[in-house]
């Protein structure tokens, strides 16, 4: 069987790179892309290499970044533009293979196994891709090359991003002297908690995990233990697929509030808006869900509070009020009466919306007709063409959210 050739193509400081590419005045200046601090979304989304040299890190607060790099130019995110550029890059990559898997807005997997005779060896193709992306978008791409997706990801994150040419190939020929020497926290799939668990077991490097007893790992973590061992040994059979996002497991929406919400009535408004958004997205995707989850985070960072709870519904739904009543029930039971900073609602255990079982005790057909009418108005006239009266109160965020993509202004 022919050995696979998998790429992970990653865009360097994607949001910041787009801004610098489209504004020549920013070329030699430190640039950071951040949300609006006045609405408590002042988190660093991207920092160019010049800003990173001053110690700026993604996901830290804007004020922390400005303390480290006072001369940095702060740019508000333009999410629609970043999505457009990401789609443009996908189109470029599809010229080399029809197997392009969008992993995130700035990362994409490619299976080039069948393309080598057309475009050359892996390094030649990687250089061509880099050149074409930078010529068309102004964004610099790094490329990890490997026989599978996991190794390609590690090749890119741990090595290509530090290479002068932005390209690195990782396979069984160099895995032991490169990947195995990395700290265990650098391994794909190992978060901070798992890192702590592994280190307490004496596993400090990836190579130590690769030679650790798989039986012990499996006994402790089940199938997850086996997966960790396989990753450490460079084993991954997952194909590059264009259908990664075709089937959803859940539909959710989360919101960081512009101020601390302290009363039940205020938070009730937000839960209703979130439930409406989740229901609309579920209907758009053709799903109904069996489980509703609510996540709440308190306002005090020094003493974290909040909860994440779920409830099973009596029948699958994609109606906003069904979701809202379940969410409100969870909130009423588990809220500790402390101020709330953020809230989220999720509909999970999804199944196709049609067909579904009608109930003699539920007015499903009437609710379906109502939602069809509301969805039609939403699609034709926009998300604020029709809103509930509660969204017109000081707690409502419907109009603010309508101007955003992914929580940030378009």
């Amino acid at each position: 069987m022919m050995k696979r050739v998998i790429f992970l193509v990653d865009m360097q400081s994607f949001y910041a790179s787009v801004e610098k590419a489209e504004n020549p005045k920013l070329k030699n200046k430190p640039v950071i892309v951040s949300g609006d601090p006045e609405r408590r979304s002042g988190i660093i989304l991207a920092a160019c290499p010049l800003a990173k040299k001053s110690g700026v890190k993604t996901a830290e607060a804007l004020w922390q970044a400005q303390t480290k790099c006072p001369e940095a130019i702060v740019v508000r995110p333009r999410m629609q533009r970043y999505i457009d550029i990401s789609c443009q890059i996908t189109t470029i990559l599809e010229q080399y293979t029809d197997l392009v898997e969008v992993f995130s807005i700035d990362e994409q997997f490619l299976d080039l196994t069948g393309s080598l005779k057309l475009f050359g060896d892996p390094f030649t193709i990687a250089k061509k891709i880099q050149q074409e992306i930078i010529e068309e978008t102004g964004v610099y791409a790094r490329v990890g090359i490997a026989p599978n997706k996991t190794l390609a990801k590690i090749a890119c994150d741990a090595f290509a991003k530090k290479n002068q040419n932005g390209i690195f190939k990782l396979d069984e020929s160099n895995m032991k002297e490169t990947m195995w020497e990395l700290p265990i926290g650098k391994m794909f799939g190992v978060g901070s908690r798992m890192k702590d668990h592994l280190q307490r077991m004496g596993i400090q490097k990836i190579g130590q995990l690769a030679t650790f007893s798989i039986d012990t790992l499996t006994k402790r973590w089940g199938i997850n233990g086996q997966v960790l061992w396989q990753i450490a040994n460079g084993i991954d059979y997952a194909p590059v697929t264009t259908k990664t996002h075709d089937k959803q497991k859940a539909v959710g929406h989360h919101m960081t509030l512009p101020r601390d919400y302290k009363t039940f009535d205020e938070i009730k408004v937000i839960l209703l808006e979130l439930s409406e958004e989740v229901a609309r997205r579920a209907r758009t995707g053709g799903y109904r869900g069996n489980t509703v989850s609510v996540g709440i985070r308190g306002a005090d960072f020094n003493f974290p509070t909040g909860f994440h709870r779920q409830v099973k519904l009596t029948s699958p739904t994609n109606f906003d009020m069904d979701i809202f009543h379940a969410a409100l029930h969870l909130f009423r039971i588990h809220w500790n009466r402390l101020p709330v900073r953020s809230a989220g609602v999720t509909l999970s255990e999804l199944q196709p919306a049609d067909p579904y079982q009608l109930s003699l005790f539920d007015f499903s057909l009437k609710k379906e007709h109502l939602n069809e009418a509301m969805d039609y108005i939403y699609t034709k006239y926009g998300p604020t063409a029709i809103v509930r009266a509660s969204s017109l109160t000081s707690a409502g965020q419907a109009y603010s959210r309508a101007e955003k993509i992914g929580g940030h202004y378009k």
Side-chain angles (χ1 to χ4, degrees), residues 256-370:
T256 297
L257 305 173
R259 57 180 173 82
D260 294 343
Y261 279 33
K262 300 177 181 180
T263 69
F264 179 81
D265 288 339
E266 284 185 316
I267 302 165
K268 184 178 176 181
V269 172
I270 290 302
L271 291 177
L272 178 54
E273 290 186 349
L274 291 170
S275 298
E276 287 183 312
E277 182 67 25
V278 168
R280 185 179 296 115
R281 288 171 55 190
R283 293 193 298 270
T284 301
Y287 296 108
R288 295 177 188 271
N290 288 282
T291 299
V292 171
S293 307
V294 172
I296 296 294
R297 190 173 70 184
D300 193 335
F301 279 113
N302 295 322
F303 299 95
T305 59
F307 64 87
H308 189 280
R309 295 290 187 273
Q310 65 181 38
V311 61
K312 184 89 170 181
L313 303 175
T314 55
S315 60
T317 188
N318 56 18
F319 300 136
D320 45 13
M321 295 308 292
D322 292 347
I323 297 171
F324 169 65
H325 288 145
L328 192 63
H329 171 72
L330 288 169
F331 181 76
R332 196 189 303 272
I333 293 174
H334 299 289
W335 183 40
N336 56 10
R337 303 301 185 272
L338 294 176
V340 172
R341 177 184 177 87
S342 67
V345 174
T346 301
L347 182 67
S348 59
E349 289 192 64
L350 301 182
Q351 65 183 55
D354 295 310
Y356 67 95
Q357 181 68 46
L358 291 173
S359 171
L360 294 174
F361 308 101
D362 190 10
F363 300 103
S364 298
L365 197 58
K366 184 177 180 179
K367 290 190 289 185
E368 187 168 332
H369 290 161
L370 175 61

Side-chain angles (χ1 to χ4, degrees), residues 58-131:
T58 302
E60 71 180 350
L62 176 58
W63 67 267
Q64 292 175 308
Q66 290 177 314
T67 300
K68 297 175 182 177
C69 188
E71 69 277 16
I73 296 175
V74 182
V75 180
R76 294 289 177 262
R78 298 182 296 153
M79 299 308 298
Q80 186 58 60
R81 185 57 182 156
Y82 306 148
I83 292 171
D84 292 341
I85 296 296
S86 181
C87 291
Q88 184 180 354
I89 292 169
T90 302
T91 301
I92 294 171
L93 300 178
E94 288 174 341
Q95 297 175 13
Y96 293 89
T97 174
D98 58 347
L99 293 175
V100 178
E101 178 180 340
V102 178
F103 188 62
S104 67
I105 194 170
D106 61 348
E107 295 177 294
Q108 306 194 40
F109 284 110
L110 288 74
D111 188 335
L112 289 153
T113 308
S115 303
L116 301 181
K117 292 183 179 179
L118 294 174
F119 301 107
D121 64 84
F123 280 96
T124 298
I125 298 175
K127 291 175 183 176
K128 286 180 180 178
I129 286 174
Q130 282 182 322
Q131 187 64 29

Side-chain angles (χ1 to χ4, degrees), residues 34-315:
S34 171
D36 185 355
E38 294 182 2
R39 295 188 61 84
R40 306 208 304 188
S41 54
I43 300 298
I44 304 304
L45 303 177
C48 75
L50 289 176
K52 288 181 177 179
K53 283 184 178 180
S54 298
V56 177
K57 298 179 180 179
T58 302
E60 71 180 350
L62 176 58
W63 67 267
Q64 292 175 308
Q66 290 177 314
T67 300
K68 297 175 182 177
C69 188
E71 69 277 16
I73 296 175
V74 182
V75 180
R76 294 289 177 262
R78 298 182 296 153
M79 299 308 298
Q80 186 58 60
R81 185 57 182 156
Y82 306 148
I83 292 171
D84 292 341
I85 296 296
S86 181
C87 291
Q88 184 180 354
I89 292 169
T90 302
T91 301
I92 294 171
L93 300 178
E94 288 174 341
Q95 297 175 13
Y96 293 89
T97 174
D98 58 347
L99 293 175
V100 178
E101 178 180 340
V102 178
F103 188 62
S104 67
I105 194 170
D106 61 348
E107 295 177 294
Q108 306 194 40
F109 284 110
L110 288 74
D111 188 335
L112 289 153
T113 308
S115 303
L116 301 181
K117 292 183 179 179
L118 294 174
F119 301 107
D121 64 84
F123 280 96
T124 298
I125 298 175
K127 291 175 183 176
K128 286 180 180 178
I129 286 174
Q130 282 182 322
Q131 187 64 29
E132 196 165 347
I133 290 175
I134 203 163
E135 286 178 356
E136 293 198 22
T137 69
V139 177
Y140 178 60
R142 287 77 61 90
V143 183
I145 306 172
N148 59 59
K149 290 162 66 175
T150 296
L151 287 184
K153 173 71 173 169
I154 296 173
C156 186
D157 289 350
F159 302 106
K161 291 182 179 181
K162 300 176 182 178
N163 274 4
Q164 188 172 359
N165 64 1
I167 303 171
F168 190 83
K169 183 178 181 181
L170 179 64
D171 57 24
E172 65 274 6
S173 68
N174 64 349
M175 189 170 64
K176 292 183 179 180
E177 60 265 29
T178 55
M179 185 182 82
W180 279 18
E181 293 300 316
L182 293 174
I184 191 63
K186 296 289 184 180
M187 192 178 92
F188 180 58
V190 174
S192 58
R193 287 187 178 182
M194 181 57 72
K195 180 185 75 171
D196 293 341
H197 284 306
L198 293 171
Q199 287 179 337
R200 284 196 292 269
M201 295 170 65
I203 301 173
Q204 304 296 329
K205 294 183 178 181
I206 296 178
Q208 291 175 296
L209 177 60
T211 56
F212 202 82
S213 167
I214 187 173
D215 292 335
T216 301
L217 294 171
T218 303
K219 185 177 181 179
R220 181 161 185 175
W221 290 299
I223 188 64
N224 290 329
Q226 181 178 342
V227 170
L228 287 171
W229 183 88
Q230 289 180 328
I231 292 174
N233 282 279
I235 301 170
D236 178 15
Y237 303 108
V240 174
T241 174
T242 59
K243 298 182 178 181
T244 301
H245 305 289
D246 285 1
K247 187 175 181 180
Q248 288 183 262
K249 294 183 178 180
V251 177
H253 200 73
H254 180 273
M255 185 191 313
T256 297
L257 305 173
R259 57 180 173 82
D260 294 343
Y261 279 33
K262 300 177 181 180
T263 69
F264 179 81
D265 288 339
E266 284 185 316
I267 302 165
K268 184 178 176 181
V269 172
I270 290 302
L271 291 177
L272 178 54
E273 290 186 349
L274 291 170
S275 298
E276 287 183 312
E277 182 67 25
V278 168
R280 185 179 296 115
R281 288 171 55 190
R283 293 193 298 270
T284 301
Y287 296 108
R288 295 177 188 271
N290 288 282
T291 299
V292 171
S293 307
V294 172
I296 296 294
R297 190 173 70 184
D300 193 335
F301 279 113
N302 295 322
F303 299 95
T305 59
F307 64 87
H308 189 280
R309 295 290 187 273
Q310 65 181 38
V311 61
K312 184 89 170 181
L313 303 175
T314 55
S315 60

